[in-house]
Amino acid sequence: MECFESLEKICEALGEDIDSPMCKEVEEHLQHCPRCCAQVDSVRKVVRLYRQIGDAEVPAAVDERLWKVLNLSKPED
Amino acid sequence: MELTEQELIRRAKQGDRAAQAKIVKAHEKMVYNLGLKLLGNADQAEGVLQETFLKVLQALPKFEEKSQLSTWIYRIATNQALMRLRSRKRRFVSIDDNPEFDDKDYTTFSQSLDATPLDEVLNQELREKMDRAIEQLPENYKTVFVMKDIEGLALKEIAEILDLSLPAVKSNLHRARVALRNKLAEMWN
């Protein structure tokens, strides 16, 4: 199940080692609990959604004003 | 021939305008996007962009090269963005300042996220919801989330930029992610 992949990261975030009793307990619980799996999985998927946004290009007018303010010549590509 | 970063910095420190311009060009997009995502506003992002590079050029002779150039520039940009963020009046009610996993059932929400293709992310309505959810995050969560999950910086680098311990960065990131999930799930239907 996908949420198991997130377990290590969750434990890390909680400051626990992956082999710690707490993480083992969490892992065991997740194996039998679709509801908790959905908790973990939905967070992972929300992160994935935000990662898909990507970076915006600097608009040409903004770029032009920056070089003017800095009094520098923009290097050629 | 391409200059090494060290050589580029050395020349820029000595006032070489071409070297300074190369540094600006290499980091311009990164700084603009940080401002855009932290402040959620193109005009404010432009302000951050200009202020950051004015400071970078001014402070460059004092740059001690203890960190990477990009980390140093990111730190200056983050400070500029946070100053603007803090000067704003609170226009909204923040998400729960201490979000944790709750006892709600997120199975349907999780399944509907699976069915969300990339095109949907570009859908205006969904983007607005995502932007609104980020906008409502407390500053310490928002900063870490944008840096790690959107801009892809390493946790160690974020800790250095924000002058936080690694556990503090991880804790803020975990809480930011849960808070965003809670908010998006609430807005989903």
Side-chain angles (χ1 to χ4, degrees), chain A residues 2 10 12-14 34-35 38-43 45-59 62-63 65-67 69-77, chain B residues 17 21 24-25 28-29 32-33 36-37 46 49-50 53-54 57 101-107 109-110 113-114 118 121 127 130 133-134 145 149 151 170 174 177 180-181 184:
Chain A
E2 281 189 322
I10 290 172
E12 196 188 342
L14 294 171
R35 203 175 156 109
Q39 278 271 4
V40 175
D41 217 31
S42 57
V43 172
K45 287 171 185 168
V46 163
V47 171
R48 190 187 62 194
L49 200 62
Y50 275 97
R51 281 185 182 156
Q52 287 175 342
I53 295 175
D55 275 346
E57 290 299 326
V58 180
V62 172
D63 181 57
R65 285 193 289 270
L66 174 68
W67 294 103
V69 164
L70 300 177
N71 195 22
L72 288 173
S73 305
K74 186 177 178 177
E76 295 296 321
D77 283 323
Chain B
R17 305 291 282 166
V24 173
K25 195 181 174 195
E28 179 186 7
K29 192 175 170 183
Y32 181 73
N33 275 278
L36 198 59
K37 280 151 192 166
E46 180 174 2
L49 182 67
Q50 293 184 359
F53 284 112
L54 283 169
L57 296 183
F101 288 120
D102 51 29
D103 61 357
K104 287 183 191 154
D105 188 353
Y106 288 95
T107 310
F109 176 61
S110 184
L113 285 173
D114 272 336
L118 182 59
V121 180
R127 273 301 302 273
M130 290 166 73
I134 282 210
F145 182 81
D149 283 337
E151 295 301 311
K170 288 178 181 178
H174 166 70
R177 287 169 171 174
L180 278 177
R181 189 280 311 273
L184 272 187

Coordinates of all heavy atoms in Angstrom, one line a residue, chain A residues 2 10 12-14 34-35 38-43 45-59 62-63 65-67 69-77, chain B residues 17 21 24-25 28-29 32-33 36-37 46 49-50 53-54 57 101-107 109-110 113-114 118 121 127 130 133-134 145 149 151 170 174 177 180-181 184:
Chain A
E2 N 0.4 2.2 -0.7 CA 1.2 3.4 -0.9 C 1.7 4.1 0.3 O 2.7 4.7 0.4 CB 0.5 4.4 -1.8 CG 0.6 4.0 -3.3 CD 0.1 5.1 -4.2 OE1 -0.9 5.7 -3.8 OE2 0.6 5.3 -5.3
I10 N 7.3 10.0 7.7 CA 6.5 10.5 8.9 C 7.3 10.3 10.2 O 7.4 11.2 11.0 CB 5.2 9.7 9.0 CG1 4.3 10.0 7.8 CG2 4.5 9.9 10.3 CD1 3.1 9.2 7.8
E12 N 10.5 10.1 10.5 CA 11.6 11.0 10.4 C 11.1 12.4 10.9 O 11.8 13.0 11.7 CB 12.2 11.1 9.0 CG 13.5 11.7 9.0 CD 14.0 12.0 7.6 OE1 13.4 11.4 6.6 OE2 14.9 12.8 7.4
A13 N 10.0 12.8 10.4 CA 9.4 14.1 10.7 C 9.1 14.1 12.2 O 9.2 15.2 12.9 CB 8.1 14.3 9.9
L14 N 8.7 13.0 12.8 CA 8.4 12.9 14.2 C 9.7 12.8 15.0 O 9.6 12.7 16.3 CB 7.4 11.8 14.5 CG 6.0 11.9 13.9 CD1 5.3 10.6 14.1 CD2 5.3 13.1 14.5
P34 N -7.4 1.0 6.8 CA -7.4 1.8 5.6 C -7.7 3.2 5.9 O -7.2 4.1 5.2 CB -8.7 1.2 4.9 CG -9.0 -0.1 5.5 CD -8.4 -0.1 6.9
R35 N -8.4 3.5 7.0 CA -8.7 4.9 7.4 C -7.4 5.7 7.7 O -7.2 6.8 7.2 CB -9.6 4.8 8.6 CG -10.5 6.1 8.8 CD -11.4 5.8 9.9 NE -11.8 7.0 10.5 CZ -13.0 7.5 10.4 NH1 -14.0 6.8 9.8 NH2 -13.4 8.6 11.0
A38 N -5.4 6.2 4.6 CA -5.9 7.4 3.8 C -5.4 8.7 4.4 O -5.1 9.7 3.7 CB -7.4 7.4 3.8
Q39 N -5.3 8.7 5.7 CA -4.7 9.9 6.4 C -3.3 10.2 5.8 O -3.0 11.3 5.4 CB -4.6 9.6 7.9 CG -5.8 9.8 8.7 CD -6.0 11.2 9.2 OE1 -5.2 12.1 8.8 NE2 -7.0 11.5 9.9
V40 N -2.5 9.2 5.8 CA -1.1 9.4 5.4 C -1.0 9.6 3.9 O -0.3 10.5 3.4 CB -0.3 8.1 5.8 CG1 1.1 8.2 5.3 CG2 -0.3 7.9 7.3
D41 N -1.8 8.8 3.2 CA -1.7 8.9 1.7 C -2.2 10.2 1.2 O -1.7 10.8 0.2 CB -2.6 7.7 1.2 CG -2.0 7.2 0.0 OD1 -0.7 7.2 -0.1 OD2 -2.7 6.7 -0.9
S42 N -3.3 10.8 1.8 CA -3.8 12.0 1.3 C -2.8 13.2 1.5 O -2.7 14.1 0.7 CB -5.2 12.3 2.0 OG -5.0 12.4 3.4
V43 N -2.1 13.1 2.6 CA -1.0 14.2 2.8 C 0.0 14.1 1.7 O 0.4 15.1 1.1 CB -0.4 14.0 4.2 CG1 0.8 15.0 4.3 CG2 -1.4 14.3 5.3
K45 N -0.3 12.9 -1.2 CA -0.8 13.3 -2.5 C -1.0 14.8 -2.7 O -0.9 15.3 -3.7 CB -2.2 12.5 -2.8 CG -2.0 11.1 -3.1 CD -3.3 10.3 -3.2 CE -3.1 8.8 -3.3 NZ -4.3 8.1 -3.1
V46 N -1.3 15.4 -1.5 CA -1.5 16.9 -1.5 C -0.1 17.5 -1.9 O 0.0 18.4 -2.7 CB -2.0 17.4 -0.2 CG1 -1.8 18.9 0.0 CG2 -3.5 17.1 -0.1
V47 N 1.0 16.9 -1.3 CA 2.3 17.4 -1.5 C 2.6 17.3 -3.0 O 3.2 18.2 -3.7 CB 3.4 16.7 -0.7 CG1 4.8 17.0 -1.1 CG2 3.2 17.0 0.8
R48 N 2.3 16.1 -3.6 CA 2.5 15.8 -5.0 C 1.8 16.9 -5.9 O 2.3 17.4 -6.8 CB 2.0 14.4 -5.3 CG 2.5 14.0 -6.7 CD 1.8 12.6 -7.0 NE 0.4 12.8 -7.1 CZ -0.5 11.7 -7.1 NH1 0.0 10.5 -7.1 NH2 -1.8 11.9 -7.2
L49 N 0.6 17.2 -5.5 CA -0.2 18.2 -6.2 C 0.5 19.5 -6.3 O 0.6 20.2 -7.3 CB -1.6 18.3 -5.5 CG -2.8 18.8 -6.3 CD1 -3.1 18.0 -7.4 CD2 -4.0 18.9 -5.3
Y50 N 1.0 20.0 -5.1 CA 1.7 21.2 -5.1 C 3.0 21.2 -5.9 O 3.4 22.2 -6.5 CB 2.0 21.7 -3.6 CG 0.8 22.4 -3.0 CD1 -0.1 21.7 -2.2 CD2 0.6 23.7 -3.2 CE1 -1.2 22.3 -1.6 CE2 -0.5 24.4 -2.6 CZ -1.4 23.7 -1.8 OH -2.5 24.3 -1.3
R51 N 3.6 20.0 -5.9 CA 4.9 19.9 -6.6 C 4.7 20.1 -8.1 O 5.6 20.5 -8.9 CB 5.6 18.6 -6.3 CG 6.3 18.6 -5.0 CD 7.1 17.4 -4.8 NE 7.7 17.5 -3.5 CZ 8.1 16.4 -2.8 NH1 7.9 15.2 -3.2 NH2 8.6 16.6 -1.6
Q52 N 3.5 19.8 -8.5 CA 3.2 19.9 -10.0 C 3.0 21.3 -10.5 O 3.0 21.5 -11.7 CB 1.9 19.0 -10.3 CG 2.2 17.5 -10.2 CD 0.9 16.7 -10.4 OE1 -0.2 17.2 -10.3 NE2 1.0 15.5 -10.7
I53 N 2.9 22.2 -9.6 CA 2.7 23.6 -10.0 C 3.8 24.1 -10.8 O 3.6 24.8 -11.8 CB 2.5 24.6 -8.8 CG1 1.2 24.2 -8.0 CG2 2.4 26.0 -9.2 CD1 1.0 25.0 -6.7
G54 N 5.0 23.9 -10.4 CA 6.2 24.3 -11.1 C 6.5 25.8 -10.9 O 5.7 26.5 -10.2
D55 N 7.6 26.2 -11.5 CA 8.0 27.6 -11.3 C 7.5 28.5 -12.4 O 7.4 28.1 -13.6 CB 9.6 27.7 -11.3 CG 10.1 27.5 -9.9 OD1 9.3 27.5 -8.9 OD2 11.3 27.2 -9.8
A56 N 7.2 29.7 -12.1 CA 6.7 30.7 -13.1 C 7.9 31.4 -13.7 O 9.0 31.5 -13.0 CB 5.9 31.8 -12.4
E57 N 7.8 31.7 -15.0 CA 8.9 32.5 -15.6 C 8.8 34.0 -15.1 O 7.7 34.4 -14.8 CB 8.7 32.5 -17.1 CG 9.0 31.2 -17.8 CD 10.4 30.7 -17.6 OE1 11.3 31.5 -17.6 OE2 10.6 29.5 -17.5
V58 N 9.9 34.7 -15.0 CA 9.9 36.1 -14.6 C 9.3 36.8 -15.8 O 9.8 36.8 -16.9 CB 11.3 36.6 -14.3 CG1 11.2 38.1 -13.9 CG2 11.9 35.8 -13.2
P59 N 8.2 37.6 -15.6 CA 7.6 38.3 -16.8 C 8.6 39.3 -17.4 O 9.5 39.9 -16.6 CB 6.4 39.1 -16.1 CG 6.1 38.3 -14.9 CD 7.4 37.7 -14.4
V62 N 9.0 42.7 -15.8 CA 9.6 42.6 -14.4 C 11.1 42.5 -14.6 O 11.9 43.1 -13.9 CB 9.0 41.4 -13.6 CG1 9.8 41.2 -12.3 CG2 7.5 41.6 -13.4
D63 N 11.5 41.6 -15.5 CA 12.9 41.4 -15.8 C 13.6 42.7 -16.3 O 14.7 43.1 -15.8 CB 13.0 40.3 -16.9 CG 14.4 40.0 -17.3 OD1 15.1 39.5 -16.4 OD2 14.7 40.1 -18.5
R65 N 12.7 45.8 -15.7 CA 12.8 46.8 -14.6 C 13.9 46.4 -13.6 O 14.6 47.2 -13.1 CB 11.4 46.9 -13.9 CG 10.4 47.7 -14.7 CD 9.2 48.0 -13.8 NE 8.4 46.9 -13.4 CZ 7.3 46.5 -14.2 NH1 7.0 47.1 -15.3 NH2 6.6 45.4 -13.8
L66 N 14.1 45.1 -13.4 CA 15.1 44.6 -12.5 C 16.5 45.1 -13.0 O 17.3 45.7 -12.2 CB 15.1 43.1 -12.4 CG 16.3 42.5 -11.5 CD1 16.2 42.9 -10.1 CD2 16.3 41.0 -11.7
W67 N 16.8 44.8 -14.3 CA 18.1 45.2 -14.8 C 18.3 46.7 -14.8 O 19.4 47.2 -14.5 CB 18.3 44.6 -16.2 CG 18.3 43.1 -16.2 CD1 17.3 42.3 -16.6 CD2 19.4 42.3 -15.7 NE1 17.7 41.0 -16.3 CE2 19.0 41.0 -15.8 CE3 20.7 42.6 -15.2 CZ2 19.8 39.9 -15.5 CZ3 21.5 41.5 -14.8 CH2 21.0 40.2 -15.0
V69 N 16.9 48.8 -12.5 CA 17.1 49.2 -11.1 C 18.6 48.9 -10.7 O 19.2 49.7 -10.0 CB 16.1 48.5 -10.2 CG1 16.5 48.5 -8.7 CG2 14.7 49.1 -10.4
L70 N 19.1 47.7 -11.1 CA 20.4 47.3 -10.7 C 21.5 48.0 -11.5 O 22.7 47.9 -11.2 CB 20.6 45.8 -10.9 CG 19.6 44.9 -10.1 CD1 19.8 43.4 -10.4 CD2 19.8 45.2 -8.6
N71 N 21.1 48.7 -12.6 CA 22.0 49.4 -13.5 C 23.0 48.4 -14.1 O 24.3 48.6 -14.1 CB 22.7 50.5 -12.7 CG 23.4 51.5 -13.7 OD1 23.1 51.5 -14.9 ND2 24.4 52.2 -13.2
L72 N 22.5 47.2 -14.5 CA 23.4 46.2 -15.0 C 22.9 45.8 -16.4 O 21.7 46.0 -16.7 CB 23.4 44.9 -14.2 CG 24.1 44.9 -12.8 CD1 23.8 43.6 -12.1 CD2 25.6 45.1 -13.0
S73 N 23.8 45.3 -17.3 CA 23.3 44.8 -18.6 C 23.1 43.3 -18.5 O 23.9 42.6 -18.0 CB 24.4 45.0 -19.6 OG 24.8 46.4 -19.7
K74 N 21.9 42.9 -19.0 CA 21.6 41.5 -18.9 C 22.5 40.7 -19.8 O 22.6 41.0 -21.0 CB 20.1 41.3 -19.3 CG 19.6 39.9 -19.2 CD 18.1 39.8 -19.5 CE 17.7 38.3 -19.4 NZ 16.3 38.2 -19.7
P75 N 23.1 39.6 -19.3 CA 24.0 38.8 -20.1 C 23.2 38.1 -21.2 O 22.0 37.8 -21.0 CB 24.6 37.8 -19.2 CG 24.2 38.2 -17.8 CD 23.0 39.1 -17.9
E76 N 23.9 37.9 -22.4 CA 23.2 37.2 -23.5 C 23.1 35.7 -23.0 O 23.9 35.2 -22.2 CB 24.1 37.3 -24.7 CG 24.3 38.7 -25.3 CD 23.0 39.3 -25.8 OE1 22.2 38.5 -26.4 OE2 22.7 40.5 -25.6
D77 N 22.1 35.0 -23.6 CA 22.0 33.6 -23.3 C 23.2 32.8 -23.9 O 23.8 33.1 -24.8 CB 20.7 33.0 -23.9 CG 19.5 33.5 -23.1 OD1 19.7 33.5 -21.8 OD2 18.4 33.8 -23.7
Chain B
R17 N 31.2 44.0 -13.4 CA 29.7 44.2 -13.6 C 29.2 42.9 -14.4 O 28.1 42.5 -14.2 CB 29.4 45.4 -14.4 CG 30.0 46.7 -13.8 CD 29.3 47.1 -12.5 NE 28.0 47.7 -12.7 CZ 27.0 47.8 -11.8 NH1 27.2 47.4 -10.6 NH2 25.9 48.4 -12.1
A21 N 26.3 40.5 -13.1 CA 25.1 40.3 -13.9 C 24.8 38.8 -14.1 O 23.7 38.3 -14.0 CB 25.3 40.9 -15.3
V24 N 23.2 37.5 -10.9 CA 21.8 37.9 -10.9 C 20.9 37.0 -11.8 O 19.9 36.5 -11.4 CB 21.6 39.4 -11.3 CG1 20.1 39.8 -11.4 CG2 22.3 40.3 -10.3
K25 N 21.4 36.9 -13.0 CA 20.7 36.1 -14.0 C 20.5 34.6 -13.5 O 19.4 34.0 -13.7 CB 21.4 36.1 -15.4 CG 20.5 35.6 -16.5 CD 21.2 35.6 -17.8 CE 20.3 35.0 -18.8 NZ 21.0 34.6 -20.0
E28 N 17.8 34.8 -10.6 CA 16.6 35.7 -10.7 C 15.3 34.9 -10.6 O 14.4 35.3 -9.8 CB 16.7 36.4 -12.1 CG 15.5 37.3 -12.4 CD 15.6 37.8 -13.8 OE1 16.5 37.4 -14.6 OE2 14.8 38.7 -14.1
K29 N 15.2 33.8 -11.3 CA 13.9 33.1 -11.3 C 13.6 32.5 -10.0 O 12.5 32.5 -9.5 CB 14.0 31.9 -12.4 CG 12.7 31.3 -12.7 CD 12.9 30.3 -13.9 CE 11.7 29.4 -14.1 NZ 11.9 28.4 -15.1
Y32 N 12.4 35.2 -7.6 CA 11.0 35.7 -8.0 C 10.0 34.7 -7.6 O 8.9 35.1 -7.0 CB 11.0 35.9 -9.5 CG 9.6 36.4 -10.0 CD1 9.2 37.7 -9.8 CD2 8.7 35.6 -10.7 CE1 8.0 38.2 -10.2 CE2 7.5 36.0 -11.1 CZ 7.1 37.3 -10.9 OH 5.9 37.8 -11.3
N33 N 10.3 33.4 -7.8 CA 9.3 32.4 -7.4 C 9.1 32.2 -5.9 O 8.0 32.0 -5.4 CB 9.7 31.0 -8.0 CG 9.1 30.9 -9.4 OD1 8.0 30.6 -9.6 ND2 9.9 31.3 -10.4
L36 N 6.9 35.1 -5.0 CA 5.5 34.9 -5.5 C 4.8 33.9 -4.6 O 3.6 34.1 -4.3 CB 5.7 34.3 -6.9 CG 4.4 34.4 -7.8 CD1 4.0 35.8 -8.0 CD2 4.8 33.8 -9.2
K37 N 5.5 32.8 -4.2 CA 4.8 31.8 -3.5 C 4.6 32.1 -2.0 O 3.7 31.7 -1.3 CB 5.5 30.4 -3.6 CG 5.1 29.8 -5.0 CD 6.2 29.0 -5.6 CE 5.8 28.6 -7.0 NZ 6.9 28.1 -7.8
E46 N 7.8 41.1 -7.2 CA 8.8 42.0 -7.9 C 9.6 42.9 -6.9 O 10.8 43.1 -7.1 CB 8.0 42.9 -8.9 CG 9.0 43.8 -9.7 CD 8.4 44.6 -10.8 OE1 7.1 44.5 -11.0 OE2 9.1 45.3 -11.5
L49 N 12.2 40.7 -5.4 CA 13.3 40.5 -6.5 C 14.2 41.7 -6.5 O 15.5 41.5 -6.4 CB 12.6 40.3 -7.8 CG 13.5 40.0 -9.0 CD1 14.1 38.6 -8.9 CD2 12.6 40.1 -10.3
Q50 N 13.7 42.9 -6.6 CA 14.6 44.1 -6.7 C 15.4 44.3 -5.4 O 16.6 44.5 -5.4 CB 13.7 45.3 -7.0 CG 13.1 45.2 -8.4 CD 12.4 46.5 -8.8 OE1 12.3 47.4 -8.0 NE2 11.8 46.5 -10.0
F53 N 18.3 41.7 -4.9 CA 19.5 41.8 -5.6 C 20.2 43.1 -5.4 O 21.5 43.2 -5.5 CB 19.2 41.6 -7.1 CG 19.1 40.1 -7.4 CD1 17.9 39.6 -7.8 CD2 20.1 39.3 -7.2 CE1 17.7 38.2 -8.0 CE2 20.0 37.9 -7.5 CZ 18.8 37.4 -7.9
L54 N 19.5 44.2 -5.0 CA 20.2 45.4 -4.5 C 21.0 45.1 -3.3 O 22.2 45.5 -3.2 CB 19.1 46.5 -4.2 CG 18.5 47.2 -5.4 CD1 17.3 48.1 -5.0 CD2 19.6 48.0 -6.2
L57 N 24.1 42.7 -4.2 CA 25.2 43.5 -4.8 C 26.0 44.3 -3.8 O 27.2 44.5 -3.8 CB 24.7 44.3 -6.0 CG 24.2 43.5 -7.2 CD1 23.7 44.5 -8.3 CD2 25.1 42.5 -7.7
F101 N -2.8 14.9 12.8 CA -3.7 14.0 12.1 C -5.0 14.0 13.0 O -4.9 13.9 14.2 CB -3.1 12.6 12.1 CG -2.0 12.5 11.0 CD1 -0.7 12.2 11.4 CD2 -2.3 12.8 9.7 CE1 0.3 12.1 10.4 CE2 -1.3 12.7 8.7 CZ 0.0 12.4 9.1
D102 N -6.2 14.1 12.4 CA -7.4 14.0 13.1 C -8.1 12.7 12.9 O -7.6 11.8 12.3 CB -8.3 15.2 12.7 CG -8.5 15.3 11.2 OD1 -8.4 14.2 10.5 OD2 -8.7 16.4 10.7
D103 N -9.3 12.5 13.3 CA -10.0 11.2 13.2 C -11.0 11.2 12.0 O -11.8 10.4 11.9 CB -10.7 10.8 14.5 CG -11.7 11.8 14.9 OD1 -11.9 12.8 14.2 OD2 -12.4 11.6 16.0
K104 N -10.9 12.2 11.1 CA -11.8 12.2 10.0 C -11.3 11.1 9.0 O -10.2 10.7 9.0 CB -11.7 13.6 9.3 CG -12.4 14.7 10.0 CD -12.4 16.0 9.2 CE -12.8 17.1 10.1 NZ -12.3 18.4 9.7
D105 N -12.3 10.7 8.1 CA -12.0 9.7 7.1 C -11.6 10.4 5.8 O -12.4 11.1 5.2 CB -13.2 8.8 6.9 CG -12.8 7.6 6.0 OD1 -11.7 7.6 5.5 OD2 -13.7 6.7 5.9
Y106 N -10.3 10.3 5.4 CA -9.9 10.9 4.2 C -9.8 10.0 3.0 O -9.2 10.3 2.0 CB -8.5 11.6 4.4 CG -8.5 12.8 5.3 CD1 -8.3 12.7 6.7 CD2 -8.9 14.0 4.8 CE1 -8.4 13.8 7.5 CE2 -8.9 15.1 5.6 CZ -8.7 15.0 7.0 OH -8.8 16.1 7.8
T107 N -10.5 8.8 3.1 CA -10.4 7.8 2.0 C -10.9 8.4 0.7 O -10.3 8.3 -0.4 CB -11.2 6.6 2.4 OG1 -10.8 6.2 3.7 CG2 -11.0 5.4 1.4
F109 N -11.3 11.6 -0.2 CA -10.5 12.7 -0.6 C -9.2 12.1 -1.3 O -8.8 12.6 -2.4 CB -10.1 13.5 0.6 CG -9.2 14.7 0.2 CD1 -9.5 15.6 -0.7 CD2 -7.9 14.7 0.9 CE1 -8.6 16.6 -1.0 CE2 -7.0 15.7 0.6 CZ -7.3 16.7 -0.3
S110 N -8.6 11.1 -0.6 CA -7.4 10.5 -1.2 C -7.7 9.9 -2.5 O -6.8 10.0 -3.5 CB -6.9 9.4 -0.2 OG -5.7 8.9 -0.6
L113 N -8.0 12.5 -5.2 CA -6.7 13.1 -5.6 C -6.0 12.2 -6.7 O -5.3 12.7 -7.6 CB -5.8 13.3 -4.4 CG -6.1 14.4 -3.4 CD1 -5.2 14.3 -2.2 CD2 -5.9 15.8 -4.1
D114 N -6.2 10.9 -6.5 CA -5.7 10.0 -7.5 C -6.2 10.3 -8.9 O -5.6 10.1 -9.9 CB -6.0 8.6 -7.2 CG -5.0 8.0 -6.2 OD1 -3.9 8.5 -6.3 OD2 -5.4 7.0 -5.5
L118 N -2.7 16.0 -14.2 CA -1.9 17.3 -14.2 C -2.7 18.5 -14.8 O -2.6 19.6 -14.3 CB -0.6 17.0 -15.0 CG 0.4 18.2 -15.1 CD1 0.8 18.6 -13.7 CD2 1.6 17.8 -15.9
V121 N -4.5 20.5 -12.4 CA -3.7 21.4 -11.5 C -3.6 22.8 -12.1 O -3.5 23.8 -11.4 CB -2.3 20.8 -11.3 CG1 -1.4 21.7 -10.4 CG2 -2.3 19.4 -10.7
R127 N -6.3 25.8 -8.7 CA -5.1 26.6 -8.4 C -5.5 27.6 -7.3 O -4.7 27.9 -6.4 CB -4.6 27.3 -9.6 CG -3.6 26.5 -10.4 CD -2.4 26.0 -9.5 NE -1.7 27.2 -9.0 CZ -0.7 27.8 -9.6 NH1 -0.3 27.5 -10.8 NH2 -0.1 28.9 -9.0
M130 N -5.7 26.0 -4.0 CA -4.4 25.6 -3.5 C -3.7 26.9 -3.0 O -3.0 26.9 -1.9 CB -3.6 24.9 -4.6 CG -4.1 23.5 -4.9 SD -3.4 22.9 -6.5 CE -1.7 22.5 -6.0
A133 N -5.2 28.0 0.3 CA -4.8 27.2 1.4 C -3.4 27.6 1.9 O -3.1 27.7 3.1 CB -4.8 25.7 1.0
I134 N -2.5 27.8 0.9 CA -1.1 28.2 1.3 C -1.1 29.6 2.0 O -0.4 29.8 3.0 CB -0.2 28.2 0.1 CG1 0.3 26.8 -0.4 CG2 1.0 29.1 0.3 CD1 1.6 26.7 -1.0
F145 N 7.3 24.9 3.9 CA 6.6 24.1 2.9 C 7.0 24.6 1.5 O 7.3 23.8 0.6 CB 5.1 24.3 3.1 CG 4.3 23.4 2.1 CD1 4.1 22.1 2.2 CD2 3.8 24.0 0.9 CE1 3.5 21.3 1.3 CE2 3.1 23.3 0.0 CZ 2.9 21.9 0.1
D149 N 8.8 21.7 -0.4 CA 7.9 20.9 -1.2 C 7.6 21.6 -2.6 O 7.2 20.9 -3.5 CB 6.6 20.6 -0.5 CG 6.8 19.5 0.5 OD1 7.7 18.7 0.3 OD2 6.0 19.4 1.5
E151 N 9.9 24.5 -3.9 CA 11.1 24.8 -4.5 C 12.2 23.7 -4.5 O 13.2 23.8 -5.1 CB 11.7 26.1 -3.8 CG 10.8 27.3 -4.1 CD 10.6 27.7 -5.6 OE1 11.6 27.7 -6.3 OE2 9.4 27.8 -6.0
K170 N 11.7 20.0 10.3 CA 10.9 18.8 10.0 C 9.5 18.9 10.6 O 8.5 18.5 10.0 CB 11.7 17.6 10.5 CG 12.9 17.2 9.7 CD 13.6 16.0 10.3 CE 14.8 15.6 9.5 NZ 15.5 14.5 10.2
H174 N 6.0 18.9 8.6 CA 5.0 18.0 8.8 C 3.6 18.6 9.1 O 2.6 18.3 8.6 CB 5.4 17.1 10.0 CG 4.3 16.3 10.6 ND1 3.8 15.2 10.0 CD2 3.7 16.4 11.8 CE1 2.9 14.6 10.7 NE2 2.8 15.3 11.8
R177 N 2.2 20.3 6.0 CA 1.6 19.4 5.1 C 0.2 18.9 5.6 O -0.8 18.9 4.8 CB 2.5 18.2 4.9 CG 3.7 18.4 4.1 CD 4.7 17.3 4.3 NE 5.8 17.4 3.3 CZ 6.9 16.6 3.3 NH1 7.0 15.6 4.2 NH2 7.8 16.7 2.4
L180 N -2.3 21.8 5.2 CA -2.7 22.0 3.8 C -3.7 20.9 3.4 O -4.7 21.2 2.7 CB -1.5 22.0 2.9 CG -0.8 23.3 2.8 CD1 0.4 23.1 1.9 CD2 -1.7 24.4 2.2
R181 N -3.4 19.7 3.8 CA -4.3 18.6 3.5 C -5.7 18.8 4.1 O -6.7 18.7 3.4 CB -3.7 17.3 4.0 CG -4.5 16.0 3.6 CD -5.7 15.6 4.3 NE -5.6 15.7 5.8 CZ -5.1 14.7 6.5 NH1 -4.9 13.5 6.0 NH2 -5.0 14.9 7.9
L184 N -7.4 21.7 2.1 CA -7.8 21.3 0.8 C -9.0 20.4 0.8 O -9.9 20.5 0.0 CB -6.7 20.7 0.0 CG -5.8 21.7 -0.8 CD1 -4.8 20.8 -1.6 CD2 -6.5 22.6 -1.7

